[in-house]
Amino acid sequence: TGRLSTKETRTICKAFKLPLPENLLGGLLSKFADGDEIDYHAFLAGINRVEHHAPPVMPEDILKV
């Protein structure tokens, strides 16, 4: 169907060792969630680093806790 539950998608991301802390992974999943399901084609396109380059993280960008 092209859709997975949010729980299944979280499990897959963890199995493939997506380098995100839990809070960022949750935010990312909620961005693509439609109820309790995620369109995995849209999700994969959204996290494609080849097509969507992220700018380098600069020291002043790091959050201080």
Side-chain angles (χ1 to χ4, degrees):
T1 65
R3 302 186 73 73
L4 291 171
S5 74
T6 304
K7 183 178 178 182
E8 289 171 317
T9 307
R10 179 182 304 277
T11 301
I12 291 167
C13 290
K14 290 191 171 286
F16 280 93
K17 301 189 186 310
L18 191 65
L20 291 174
E22 185 62 35
N23 62 333
L24 291 179
L25 179 58
L28 181 64
L29 293 174
S30 68
K31 177 176 171 62
F32 290 95
D34 180 20
D36 188 40
E37 292 187 328
I38 292 179
D39 177 341
Y40 66 79
H41 293 292
F43 179 74
L44 292 177
I47 64 170
N48 184 338
R49 296 186 328 190
V50 174
E51 293 182 19
H52 306 285
H53 297 283
V57 176
M58 304 307 289
E60 58 271 12
D61 294 334
I62 296 173
L63 297 173
K64 296 185 184 332
V65 204

